Amino acid sequence: MIKTTAQKIYLGLIFIFLYAPIITLIVLSFNASKTRAKWGGFTTKWYAALFRNEQIMQALWNTLTLAILSALIATLIGTIACIAMQSMKRTSRAVLMGITNIPMLNAEIVTGISLMLLFLSFGIKFGFGTILLAHITFNIPYVILSVMPRMKQLNPSTYEAALDLGSSHTYAFFKVVFPDILPGILSGFLMAFTMSLDDFIITHFTKGPGVDTLSTKIYTEVKKGIKPEMYALSTIIFVTVLILLLLVNYTPKGKKKK
Amino acid sequence: MNRKLLSLPFIFWSAMFVIVPLCMVFYYGLTDKSGAFTFDNILAIATVEHSKALWEALKLSVISTVICLLLAYPLAMILCNMNVNQNSFLVLIFILPMWMNFLLRTLAWQTLLEKTGVINSILSALHLPSLNIINTPYAIVLGMVYNFLPFMVLPLYNVLVKIDKNVINAAYDLGANGAQTFFRIIFPLSLPGMFSGITMVFVPALTTFVISKILGGSKILLIGNVIEQEFTQTGNWNLGSGLSIVLMLFIIFNMVISVITDKEGEANTL
Amino acid sequence: MKNALVNLVNISKSFDNQMVLDDLNLYIRENEFLTLLGPSGCGKTTTLRILGGFETPDKGQVIFEGRDITNLPPNKRNLNTVFQKYALFPHMTIAENIAFGLKISGKSKSYINDKIKYALKLVNLDGFENRMPDSLSGGQQQRIAIARAIVNEPKLLLLDEPLGALDLKLRQDMQYELIRLKNELGITFIYVTHDQEEALTMSDTIVVMNQGYIQQIGTPESIYNEPENAFVADFIGDSNIIGATMIRDRLVEILGARFDCVDTGFGENKPVDVVIRPEDVELVAPEEGILQGTLIHSIFKGVHYEMEVMANGFEWLVQSTKMVPVGTKVGIKVDPFNIQIMKKPESEDEEAIGVNE
């Protein structure tokens, strides 16, 4: 009994530690006073202001298109790389997996500056394109690392059985192999999408003047003083993610009951 | 059709955007502005200014990693011992904050810790002495622990949850008490997850420039801040690259340890 | 009960409002090889876990050597468990695994080394000291798990389906090995399995369980030859279980034909179940049989033929070493000693306890 109470208190303390800043942000998003330190009464005006703020809306648009595009391209490249690696010899596969791990294990700042140096030396103009290239680069490993385990679990006999039953290689792949690795592809895509959404450091080094994502926008505002609209935006994002996660978590159970 | 050809886009992409850029860091780090070979950029770490920034970064990131480990281990153990249905929801709750923008979360801590911030308002209302850690190393450590704690919890949770309950039962069955079971069975079996967690916390903590900028004011410079300034303000790419190479030595050292201790890659989750 | 080593008294246990054990009483004699046998979910593993100390019963007591150990944690009990999937410590060598319990109890280095050597010899794995568990085959790991348990010289060894993951040949070898070990060590074994053949081969006593209740306790012979209800008859070996009427003592009517039997005390004209083992059904010329039928199916099984005879609307399972062509008209005869009469379950509840799996 004492043990479980102590455990609950510990969980509670960690919970407070993790959520204190998030609750602060949510409270501030309803604060009528423009300074963070004072509570000036309840308001929803920042939410209205948010949708009128073109800079923030543009940054949001950039962030979302970057995340979707980079995740899609990374998923495509990563998935076909996994299919290829499956039919490779052990050593060449190990080499490719080693390369996959480089951006994962390397510090983001080093990845960022290395890409910056590349674009500089080749005279590529910094802007949306360079950020997209960078995001695809750090997203590919997440796709490969979530598709590869699925690939390894595949029972090769099912593919051979499909061929044995007279289907072509392509047909067998899309009807037999693809459905099996699809969950891995989807989770790889989602992971790539979130990583791209949340990235700041690599974007910071590969973005050009005038192009901003939400993260870089916030970073520039840190110096000048953050606009309350940002708090409103972060509250909306948090609530959206919370609802999505709850949906994802609770729908499979409902299916099982049926 | 040769299936191996499908790896060409990936190989091309990795060569172009992973290998070549890394080589460029080395090229710039080992040459001066005129392109002549030199070790000066790397040896620049020995100057008082740079070595202080590196030392400070090492100190704070080691402290943060240790605190993360001490906080995360009990947390992961508790989460593992909860029954399965609660599990996914509880784990979710502890990962959810990661979906909030990293900069905004750090910024929120600034608001909380400020001299006239939320925490001090509460403390003064309770007639308690105020807490002045903003713009000090303490605030930076707090920001690091806050941001990187989930990276320690996840791999630990993943190894702990995989330990066969019967292996633990077998230890009790053979006469071991709770502490003996922990130190002889659970702890050694959780080492791969622990090392993976240490890498995942230590590397971003050592190289951060954002947390130190937001929570440390402009007074405390970490090695990450120095490198960032060389690239975005001073424009001395050679020096920045040279310092990055030094930084990479620490990262490689850390990677080697994690590869040795996690042969099967079972703790890698993110 | 005098020399009972373990006594389970009125044990009840439920998980999430699901009754797993209901008022279970059982005693285990010293030096006995007792098997808990039943289908999955019958409560046999829970019983073992209560003995091992990994579960606490909701009600009832566990008495071990005259002492109540119901609430004693596993590490304080003078018994050891061999787990289903071996549960060897994966980060320790074989020697370290075996030494674990001895080190905990503070035995001297030389004693431990002697014990490791002795235990490895006992399970026929000399020289495996420095191997790691994952380099061993399933059967070898199993033997190490047994060695790890017995070096502590427990009074009682609990074995939870220890041979379940092994293939048939290895399982048979290990069965003999276990019997040998038990005889050499003089330890009491409690063995859990769902494999009736395993139970019949190794045990001194078999406890047949279903849905949290004990169905029958007895020697392998009595369980096989005199099952007390349809569940036991059905679970142990193949059998013909037929609804019948007890005309009077020593006479039973099966499918409209009257058979002599040896059972008494079931009353007159009472519905009963009869069990007849397939090897006890004799096929004779039609006019010599009590029942007449047609052979509809025959498979060669090596030692014998397995056949089905349709007689009076029932498919009789028959085993015989003589070949009879399909389609032959045959007579059926059963020796009175080989007809086992069982009480019919009176209520539907009892029926559920008895027959459902």
Side-chain angles (χ1 to χ4, degrees):
Chain A
M1 261 335 242
I2 299 164
K3 204 178 157 197
T4 54
T5 319
Q7 287 185 349
K8 275 182 191 147
I9 292 172
Y10 188 76
L11 285 185
L13 286 176
I14 298 267
F15 184 81
I16 292 171
F17 175 60
L18 288 178
Y19 281 85
I22 290 172
I23 290 163
T24 311
L25 286 177
I26 293 175
V27 171
L28 284 175
S29 78
F30 294 108
N31 184 7
S33 151
K34 210 167 180 174
T35 57
R36 288 180 293 182
K38 294 265 171 341
W39 175 253
F42 180 86
T43 178
T44 52
K45 69 178 176 192
W46 306 122
Y47 287 84
L50 167 68
F51 292 100
R52 287 193 305 269
N53 186 324
E54 273 178 29
Q55 280 187 327
I56 293 182
M57 283 294 122
Q58 184 60 42
L60 176 65
W61 174 249
N62 285 343
T63 308
L64 287 175
T65 39
L66 268 172
I68 290 173
L69 280 177
S70 68
L72 271 178
I73 299 170
T75 305
L76 186 68
I77 296 176
T79 307
I80 60 173
C82 284
I83 296 166
M85 273 193 257
Q86 190 65 5
S87 55
M88 277 182 186
K89 282 199 204 92
R90 211 164 227 268
T91 39
S92 36
R93 199 192 321 177
V95 169
L96 286 190
M97 285 310 280
I99 294 172
T100 308
N101 275 321
I102 294 176
M104 301 279 297
L105 294 171
N106 206 344
E108 282 184 278
I109 186 171
V110 178
T111 308
I113 60 158
S114 72
L115 284 165
M116 182 181 174
L117 286 175
L118 176 85
F119 298 142
L120 279 169
S121 334
F122 285 82
I124 300 167
K125 198 169 157 285
F126 283 82
F128 188 87
T130 46
I131 309 177
L132 182 61
L133 289 174
H135 279 216
I136 295 169
T137 307
F138 72 73
N139 274 341
I140 293 175
Y142 290 103
V143 177
I144 291 184
L145 289 181
S146 68
V147 176
M148 216 46 198
R150 280 265 162 187
M151 218 53 185
K152 280 184 191 150
Q153 282 167 17
L154 265 186
N155 180 357
S157 328
T158 55
Y159 180 68
E160 281 160 14
L163 295 181
D164 180 71
L165 294 167
S167 75
S168 69
H169 284 273
T170 329
Y171 187 84
F173 174 78
F174 280 104
K175 285 289 169 183
V176 178
V177 178
F178 189 69
D180 266 5
I181 59 171
L182 190 60
I185 297 175
L186 284 180
S187 76
F189 175 83
L190 276 180
M191 213 183 266
F193 181 80
T194 27
M195 287 299 151
S196 170
L197 272 191
D198 205 41
D199 179 69
F200 164 71
I201 296 172
I202 293 171
T203 316
H204 178 67
F205 288 105
T206 52
K207 84 182 192 77
V211 185
D212 264 315
T213 65
L214 282 178
S215 296
T216 59
K217 186 93 189 92
I218 295 163
Y219 190 69
T220 40
E221 281 186 10
V222 168
K223 296 169 204 159
K224 295 183 279 178
I226 200 111
K227 292 200 178 73
E229 291 96 312
M230 275 300 180
Y231 300 135
L233 181 64
S234 57
T235 305
I236 293 174
I237 294 176
F238 180 75
V239 172
T240 315
V241 171
L242 181 67
I243 290 170
L244 280 179
L245 284 176
L246 287 178
L247 280 178
V248 169
N249 237 31
Y250 285 100
T251 33
K253 267 187 204 159
K255 270 183 199 159
K256 262 180 218 158
K257 270 178 198 161
K258 280 173 199 169
Chain B
M1 182 189 73
N2 191 344
R3 282 220 267 165
K4 286 173 195 151
L5 292 178
L6 289 174
S7 65
L8 283 180
F10 169 67
I11 292 171
F12 168 78
W13 198 282
S14 301
M16 191 63 206
F17 296 106
V18 178
I19 310 289
V20 171
L22 273 180
C23 293
M24 305 206 62
V25 173
F26 279 93
Y27 171 77
Y28 275 93
L30 293 170
T31 53
D32 61 20
K33 283 212 163 62
S34 63
F37 179 82
T38 175
F39 274 123
D40 287 352
N41 300 316
I42 290 172
L43 295 174
I45 194 67
T47 62
V48 179
E49 185 198 355
H50 293 154
S51 57
K52 193 167 162 260
L54 179 64
W55 172 241
E56 194 75 12
L58 275 172
K59 200 173 69 186
L60 296 187
S61 54
V62 167
I63 292 170
S64 305
T65 310
V66 171
I67 295 176
C68 276
L69 185 61
L70 294 178
L71 285 178
Y73 211 105
L75 180 62
M77 292 265 284
I78 294 170
L79 289 178
C80 276
N81 290 335
M82 301 251 158
N83 81 50
V84 190
N85 281 336
Q86 274 178 309
N87 243 348
S88 54
F89 182 70
L90 263 175
V91 173
L92 182 80
I93 281 183
F94 285 95
I95 296 169
L96 188 60
M98 291 213 315
W99 267 280
M100 199 74 157
N101 188 290
F102 155 67
L103 286 163
L104 279 174
R105 278 180 290 152
T106 313
L107 206 66
W109 272 112
Q110 196 183 44
T111 314
L112 281 167
L113 294 173
E114 268 170 340
K115 286 217 167 58
T116 52
V118 177
I119 290 180
N120 279 333
S121 308
I122 295 171
L123 286 176
S124 70
L126 296 170
H127 301 289
L128 289 168
S130 63
L131 184 72
N132 287 317
I133 64 165
I134 190 72
N135 300 341
T136 67
Y138 296 104
I140 299 179
V141 168
L142 184 120
M144 288 176 174
V145 171
Y146 180 79
N147 276 305
F148 305 133
L149 183 63
F151 296 131
M152 187 66 93
V153 177
L154 278 184
L156 273 176
Y157 173 80
N158 280 320
V159 286
L160 287 175
V161 96
K162 271 191 209 139
I163 297 177
D164 184 356
K165 286 284 166 299
N166 276 337
V167 166
I168 294 166
N169 280 341
Y172 285 122
D173 184 78
L174 293 166
N177 60 30
Q180 286 166 325
T181 307
F182 178 79
F183 285 111
R184 295 184 188 208
I185 308 294
I186 299 174
F187 187 74
L189 286 177
S190 71
L191 283 178
M194 213 173 92
F195 283 116
S196 159
I198 288 175
T199 315
M200 285 163 78
V201 172
F202 179 72
V203 172
L206 176 70
T207 59
T208 188
F209 62 93
V210 181
I211 296 173
S212 43
K213 193 154 197 165
I214 297 178
L215 295 176
S218 44
K219 284 179 232 155
I220 302 159
L221 280 187
L222 302 185
I223 189 72
N225 300 82
V226 175
I227 294 173
E228 195 254 351
Q229 279 173 10
E230 292 303 332
F231 275 91
T232 57
Q233 289 161 29
T234 327
N236 189 345
W237 309 331
N238 302 86
L239 181 56
S241 301
L243 296 177
S244 300
I245 294 171
V246 177
L247 201 53
M248 268 194 279
L249 293 180
F250 287 93
I251 299 168
I252 291 167
F253 176 69
N254 208 297
M255 270 192 240
V256 169
I257 290 178
S258 85
V259 168
I260 291 170
T261 49
D262 186 19
K263 287 169 287 195
E264 288 126 46
E266 56 186 18
N268 270 328
T269 48
L270 280 176
Chain C
M1 286 257 265
K2 274 202 313 266
N3 50 357
L5 177 70
V6 187
N7 234 322
L8 295 176
V9 187
N10 304 112
I11 299 281
S12 293
K13 176 80 187 170
S14 54
F15 294 108
D16 302 326
N17 297 323
Q18 180 113 28
M19 197 60 124
V20 177
L21 293 175
D22 192 1
D23 201 26
L24 180 119
N25 285 283
L26 181 67
Y27 66 90
I28 297 116
R29 275 185 297 261
E30 208 147 324
N31 216 357
E32 188 173 14
F33 194 127
L34 180 132
T35 299
L36 301 172
L37 174 68
S40 57
C42 73
K44 56 189 193 302
T45 298
T46 306
T47 310
L48 201 75
R49 288 175 63 82
I50 286 173
L51 276 165
F54 303 115
E55 304 284 356
T56 319
D58 302 335
K59 265 186 286 185
Q61 285 175 300
V62 183
I63 312 287
F64 183 68
E65 296 185 295
R67 206 156 66 95
D68 184 350
I69 60 160
T70 318
N71 294 312
L72 212 60
N75 51 332
K76 300 263 162 63
R77 298 185 179 202
N78 188 14
L79 51 82
N80 287 112
T81 308
V82 176
F83 291 88
Q84 199 165 9
K85 299 244 171 68
Y86 328 134
L88 297 180
F89 305 129
H91 59 299
M92 297 184 186
T93 64
I94 296 308
E96 286 166 339
N97 262 283
I98 296 174
F100 189 87
L102 299 170
K103 273 189 196 152
I104 294 283
S105 56
K107 294 283 191 297
S108 76
K109 240 196 167 99
S110 61
Y111 177 87
I112 293 176
N113 285 335
D114 287 350
K115 270 287 184 185
I116 293 171
K117 279 223 174 64
Y118 162 77
L120 284 175
K121 204 176 200 90
L122 202 64
V123 296
N124 289 328
L125 287 174
D126 320 60
F128 275 63
E129 280 90 342
N130 296 318
R131 300 272 293 267
M132 293 307 278
D134 59 8
S135 72
L136 268 58
S137 71
Q140 290 170 333
Q141 289 192 38
Q142 187 55 72
R143 282 186 272 172
I144 297 300
I146 294 167
R148 184 178 67 176
I150 59 179
V151 286
N152 304 294
E153 299 174 0
K155 272 284 172 93
L156 175 64
L157 191 65
L158 308 176
L159 301 106
D160 184 7
E161 306 223 14
L163 310 182
L166 306 181
D167 62 46
L168 184 66
K169 181 78 183 68
L170 203 55
R171 206 153 67 209
Q172 283 166 349
D173 292 347
M174 282 299 294
Q175 287 173 10
Y176 294 117
E177 199 118 329
L178 279 174
I179 298 169
R180 177 181 65 84
L181 274 175
K182 201 217 138 237
N183 292 337
E184 268 177 46
L185 296 165
I187 298 176
T188 307
F189 275 34
I190 300 185
Y191 192 95
V192 159
T193 183
H194 63 264
D195 182 334
Q196 39 113 355
E197 242 180 75
E198 211 167 274
L200 293 173
T201 312
M202 295 192 287
S203 323
D204 299 321
T205 308
I206 296 178
V207 179
V208 184
M209 293 180 72
N210 188 33
Q211 301 208 337
Y213 296 94
I214 294 178
Q215 302 289 327
Q216 187 172 356
I217 305 178
T219 61
E221 290 85 355
S222 70
I223 296 271
Y224 188 83
N225 292 326
E226 297 144 34
E228 279 171 17
N229 59 38
F231 173 79
V232 177
D234 194 40
F235 195 75
I236 310 278
D238 296 323
S239 52
N240 297 292
I241 303 169
I242 314 164
T245 311
M246 198 71 184
I247 302 298
R248 55 173 186 271
D249 282 357
R250 299 192 180 82
L251 187 66
V252 61
E253 188 179 283
I254 304 168
L255 302 168
R258 293 189 173 195
F259 285 78
D260 290 323
C261 63
V262 293
D263 295 80
T264 56
F266 284 89
E268 292 192 358
N269 295 315
K270 281 278 153 60
V272 291
D273 282 328
V274 297
V275 177
I276 301 167
R277 295 290 178 190
E279 66 269 26
D280 293 334
V281 180
E282 292 174 56
L283 295 185
V284 292
E287 60 278 8
E288 288 172 44
I290 298 168
L291 272 172
Q292 283 75 37
T294 313
L295 196 92
I296 54 169
H297 218 281
S298 175
I299 303 168
F300 179 56
K301 284 274 186 176
V303 185
H304 59 258
Y305 291 89
E306 204 161 278
M307 298 176 281
E308 277 168 26
V309 174
M310 179 60 92
N312 288 19
F314 184 82
E315 279 177 24
W316 292 71
L317 209 56
V318 183
Q319 285 173 4
S320 166
T321 49
K322 271 187 296 183
M323 215 285 275
V324 182
V326 172
T328 315
K329 298 261 180 248
V330 291
I332 287 177
K333 232 173 83 177
V334 187
D335 190 293
F337 283 99
N338 289 330
I339 295 177
Q340 168 71 15
I341 310 282
M342 305 176 303
K343 225 174 78 183
K344 235 191 170 32
E346 271 160 20
S347 65
E348 274 185 29
D349 258 5
E350 211 177 322
E351 173 101 32
I353 295 162
V355 189
N356 281 358
E357 275 191 33

